Amino acid sequence: MRRITILIADDEVEIADLVALHLQKEGYHIVKASDGKAAIHAIQSQSIDLAILDIMMPELDGYKVTRQIREKYHLPIIFLSAKTSDLDKITGLVMGADDYMTKPFNPMELMARVNSQLRRSKLFNQPAAANKRVLEAGGLTISPDQHTVTLYGEVIELTPKEFDILYLLTSHPKQIFSVESIFQQVWGEAYYERGNTVMVHIRTLRKKLGEDISKNKFIKTIWGVGYTINE
């Protein structure tokens, strides 16, 4: 059986070595890259199951690396960065990262987040269940097998989390989902005051769908309750 391979892209050798040490203890195979171009090359040249990226790297920063990864791949991405502002975190998530941790960090918490993302990725890559059907609503066509979304025949590029949120809402057209419920079902983790993550993803999802925020054509906000899909 092929070992799970994790890419660590960080120009701080001490940080990369520390993360690698803990991941190797978990039995993972590690690939290191000290700059953004090397990270892209690693992903293109071998099978990478998860990437841990710094933001401030030579050649290409973590944001640009993430953008290129998301053009072709659906592997989980975790930012591990010294940039600690809310804007930095929001930017990382909007770019397509699945999680964001700040330095200094607790290695055990990072291991827990890595394992959580790998579990979700494994579930996502399993053959679609019978109830994972193609959905259509208001010009939208959502295909879980192909992991594609089209709007009136035009392909809409979504990150994995944006796709999961849209599929969750569309597959339950009469149900209102709270922020906590969306986080728990899409991220597969317990909710600990991380509602801003959900709201950021819904905001970018609406933008990609060309929504007028005041009209909420596809995703409807039920104030004080949560979100639902317009039928």
Side-chain angles (χ1 to χ4, degrees), residues 131-137 142 144 163-175 177 185 228-229:
N131 63 340
K132 284 284 187 177
R133 63 194 186 282
V134 174
L135 301 177
E136 295 184 356
I142 307 170
F163 181 93
D164 290 346
I165 291 172
L166 184 61
Y167 191 89
L168 174 67
L169 296 177
T170 308
S171 60
H172 300 82
K174 296 182 179 180
Q175 186 171 340
F177 288 88
Q185 295 194 54
T228 188
I229 199 78

Side-chain angles (χ1 to χ4, degrees), residues 102-150:
T102 58
K103 302 175 183 177
F105 63 98
N106 182 326
M108 299 309 296
E109 181 182 357
L110 177 59
M111 296 307 104
R113 295 194 184 199
V114 165
N115 291 331
S116 174
Q117 290 298 332
L118 288 171
R119 285 195 301 270
R120 275 194 45 75
S121 179
K122 182 179 179 181
L123 288 172
F124 168 75
N125 286 307
Q126 288 177 349
N131 63 340
K132 284 284 187 177
R133 63 194 186 282
V134 174
L135 301 177
E136 295 184 356
L140 281 172
T141 301
I142 307 170
S143 172
D145 287 329
Q146 301 299 320
H147 208 258
T148 57
V149 174
T150 60

Side-chain angles (χ1 to χ4, degrees), residues 20-229:
L21 177 65
H22 284 274
L23 288 170
Q24 286 167 339
K25 288 181 179 178
E26 294 281 323
Y28 298 126
H29 174 63
I30 303 303
V31 174
K32 296 180 187 177
S34 58
D35 61 67
K37 284 188 177 180
I40 292 296
H41 176 73
I43 288 170
Q44 291 175 337
S45 61
Q46 55 195 298
S47 181
I48 301 294
D49 298 285
L50 180 144
I52 299 174
L53 306 180
D54 187 19
I55 292 178
M56 296 178 288
M57 292 189 291
E59 303 293 342
L60 292 173
D61 64 31
Y63 295 144
K64 292 178 181 177
V65 171
T66 298
R67 187 182 298 115
Q68 290 193 32
I69 291 173
R70 286 291 174 247
E71 289 177 356
K72 295 183 178 180
Y73 306 96
H74 294 295
L75 64 132
I77 297 173
I78 299 176
F79 274 131
L80 183 61
S81 173
K83 297 171 77 68
T84 60
S85 74
D86 287 342
L87 179 59
D88 293 321
K89 296 176 184 178
I90 290 170
T91 301
L93 295 170
V94 168
M95 286 291 181
D98 298 283
D99 207 345
Y100 192 113
M101 284 191 68
T102 58
K103 302 175 183 177
F105 63 98
N106 182 326
M108 299 309 296
E109 181 182 357
L110 177 59
M111 296 307 104
R113 295 194 184 199
V114 165
N115 291 331
S116 174
Q117 290 298 332
L118 288 171
R119 285 195 301 270
R120 275 194 45 75
S121 179
K122 182 179 179 181
L123 288 172
F124 168 75
N125 286 307
Q126 288 177 349
N131 63 340
K132 284 284 187 177
R133 63 194 186 282
V134 174
L135 301 177
E136 295 184 356
L140 281 172
T141 301
I142 307 170
S143 172
D145 287 329
Q146 301 299 320
H147 208 258
T148 57
V149 174
T150 60
L151 178 59
Y152 300 114
E154 181 179 347
V155 175
I156 306 296
E157 298 292 343
L158 301 182
T159 68
K161 291 293 188 292
E162 290 166 355
F163 181 93
D164 290 346
I165 291 172
L166 184 61
Y167 191 89
L168 174 67
L169 296 177
T170 308
S171 60
H172 300 82
K174 296 182 179 180
Q175 186 171 340
I176 300 171
F177 288 88
S178 67
V179 169
E180 294 90 337
S181 177
I182 293 173
F183 186 86
Q184 289 168 354
Q185 295 194 54
V186 171
W187 275 260
E189 302 174 25
Y191 175 83
Y192 295 109
E193 298 300 323
R194 298 177 69 179
N196 192 51
T197 299
V198 174
M199 289 184 281
V200 167
H201 280 77
I202 286 182
R203 186 186 313 151
T204 57
L205 179 55
R206 281 173 161 163
K207 184 176 180 181
K208 290 180 179 181
L209 294 174
E211 283 205 342
D212 181 334
I213 295 176
S214 65
K215 294 181 180 178
N216 293 337
K217 180 178 179 182
F218 296 109
I219 301 173
K220 184 177 182 181
T221 301
I222 308 298
W223 295 108
V225 182
Y227 301 95
T228 188
I229 199 78

